Amino acid sequence: MLNPLNWLYGGITDIRNFLYDSRITKSLSPPIYTISVGNLTVGGTGKTPHVDYLVHLLKKSGPIATLSRGYGRRTRGFRIATDADTADTIGDEPLLLYRKHGRQIGTNPGSVTVSVGEKRAEAISKLVMNNPDLQVIILDDAFQHRPVQPHLNILLTDYNRPFYRDQPFPGGRLRERRHGARRADVIVVTKCPDNLRVADQGEIEERIRGYSRADIPVFFTGIQYGNPVCFAEDAIKSALKRVVLVTGIAQSEPLEAYVKSHFSMAQHLQFADHYRYTMDDLEKIQRLIPTGGAVLTTEKDFVKLAPLVSESGAEATAFYYLPIEVRFLSQEDQFQKISTKFLT
């Protein structure tokens, strides 16, 4: 019954893309190396860990910046993150990146400027004006943001729900038709199991190439979880056993499976992606902590829950988050070479 609406939505996005592809509608070619990381679907493909990976890789070359629209923030316009910012002012994912990378603002190699702005073309101009020594800009969630033409367009697709099995809104989760993948210069299949066979990778790649350009590389990555980190920075490290898992992310099933295999999970309290926690939520979470147990959450949720824990006077030693990072199943050197080719 939704097929006619799927076709209508897909047709509208086709017209928009045609206007940009034929250059009837103009787009900005940034004056410095710009990488876009995005997807065809709504959320859940692991953009932030992959942006984090690129920041680690590229900041060695000189000052870099990240730019996103700051989903979920209560501010408008262009903004460069500072220590005073919160998830309400810049969004949870930019705040996470700032906490990890953005405290060394400057012109030296290793400095990272975290910024947000709905109008990316204008924001890029302001970033370059503020820092003429900037070497790279990484656009977070910008695959459909056609007003900017990046030098490298990286498309992510979730192994558990690849774009070639999905449909446009409202019957599916695609933001545009599958053939939008032809704009990608690199495609990364994310959240892959560690034991994904080479033969299975080949089958997935063949399905992808039904919609992408024939010559672009396809990579496969998984998520690697680190040891739990306590909200209380000076806490004595202790082994977690029984936990309440709290998530406000899209596609939390892989994380839940990991927690169940490594801890005794009393309960999984799930909130919507980019959820804005309240004191009432914190009180509810605290009531669920089992005797001798703790709360375990994600890095993205940590940056929103930690201020509430501090403000309420709750016992921070009962709260932990799981750091994550991207792990390539193979050909990581080739991906790094492609990502840095405009810098050499």
Side-chain angles (χ1 to χ4, degrees):
M1 293 178 62
L2 290 174
N3 278 343
L5 295 177
N6 296 347
W7 297 332
L8 176 61
Y9 181 87
I12 292 171
T13 59
D14 279 351
I15 293 171
R16 178 177 183 268
N17 284 326
F18 169 78
L19 293 174
Y20 278 104
D21 293 340
S22 60
R23 300 185 179 180
I24 295 172
T25 302
K26 303 298 182 183
S27 60
L28 169 72
S29 297
I32 62 173
Y33 180 36
T34 303
I35 300 176
S36 167
V37 180
N39 51 30
L40 291 177
T41 60
V42 178
T45 57
K47 287 187 301 296
T48 302
H50 286 78
V51 169
D52 182 43
Y53 177 93
L54 287 169
V55 170
H56 275 292
L57 173 66
L58 296 168
K59 68 181 182 180
K60 304 169 188 176
S61 63
I64 71 171
T66 66
L67 172 61
S68 69
R69 66 188 177 106
Y71 186 86
R73 64 180 173 132
R74 291 178 169 176
T75 59
R76 302 288 296 176
F78 176 69
R79 189 181 185 98
I80 292 179
T82 69
D83 288 350
D85 278 302
T86 66
D88 281 345
T89 59
I90 61 172
D92 50 13
E93 291 165 345
L95 181 62
L96 185 160
L97 291 170
Y98 177 74
R99 293 282 178 85
K100 295 181 75 169
H101 302 284
R103 295 177 182 269
Q104 294 181 332
I105 307 300
T107 59
N108 60 299
S111 67
V112 181
T113 300
V114 176
S115 65
V116 295
E118 302 90 343
K119 298 180 179 179
R120 313 289 176 87
E122 292 182 10
I124 287 172
S125 298
K126 291 178 180 178
L127 279 171
V128 174
M129 186 182 302
N130 287 335
N131 189 351
D133 296 316
L134 207 57
Q135 297 294 306
V136 184
I137 297 175
I138 303 172
L139 303 178
D140 186 356
D141 195 14
F143 196 75
Q144 283 76 37
H145 194 81
R146 302 301 306 275
V148 175
Q149 178 58 54
H151 297 83
L152 185 68
N153 220 351
I154 300 176
L155 175 64
L156 309 183
T157 185
D158 187 345
Y159 166 83
N160 303 288
R161 189 167 182 169
F163 72 85
Y164 54 76
R165 292 181 186 165
D166 214 338
Q167 298 291 334
F169 285 132
R173 293 169 56 86
L174 294 186
R175 298 172 172 178
E176 57 179 302
R177 292 190 200 272
R178 299 170 185 175
H179 57 240
R182 290 190 62 81
R183 297 197 307 278
D185 302 305
V186 171
I187 293 180
V188 181
V189 183
T190 67
K191 300 185 180 179
C192 297
D194 294 340
N195 59 351
L196 183 61
R197 299 182 308 165
V198 173
D200 293 334
Q201 294 179 34
E203 290 178 10
I204 294 170
E205 185 173 339
E206 185 176 352
R207 294 291 302 275
I208 287 173
R209 294 199 184 284
Y211 303 96
S212 71
R213 303 199 307 273
D215 58 337
I216 69 162
V218 177
F219 298 94
F220 295 83
T221 64
I223 291 295
Q224 181 172 302
Y225 296 97
N227 293 322
V229 178
C230 187
F231 281 26
E233 295 180 359
D234 57 349
I236 299 175
K237 186 176 181 180
S238 61
L240 292 185
K241 295 181 180 179
R242 192 160 174 78
V243 300
V244 172
L245 177 62
V246 177
T247 61
I249 59 175
Q251 308 298 325
S252 61
E253 293 82 5
L255 173 59
E256 179 180 309
Y258 174 85
V259 171
K260 283 181 176 179
S261 67
H262 288 76
F263 307 92
S264 174
M265 192 180 82
Q267 188 172 343
H268 182 185
L269 192 58
Q270 293 178 272
F271 296 87
D273 192 18
H274 300 286
Y275 184 76
R276 184 177 288 110
Y277 294 96
T278 66
M279 282 296 184
D280 288 341
D281 296 323
L282 180 61
E283 291 175 5
K284 179 181 179 180
I285 292 168
Q286 287 181 285
R287 290 195 296 268
L288 295 175
I289 301 176
T291 302
V295 171
L296 187 61
T297 190
T298 70
E299 282 186 283
K300 190 166 84 168
D301 294 301
F302 159 69
V303 298
K304 292 177 289 188
L305 282 169
L308 294 177
V309 170
S310 177
E311 183 181 344
S312 68
E315 184 55 63
T317 55
F319 289 81
Y320 290 77
Y321 70 87
L322 268 179
I324 63 173
E325 60 183 31
V326 168
R327 186 183 68 82
F328 280 76
L329 272 58
S330 63
Q331 298 182 307
E332 182 174 6
D333 289 347
Q334 184 183 352
F335 178 85
Q336 293 184 353
K337 183 178 180 180
I338 292 170
S339 301
T340 58
K341 66 181 179 180
F342 287 97
L343 297 174
T344 57

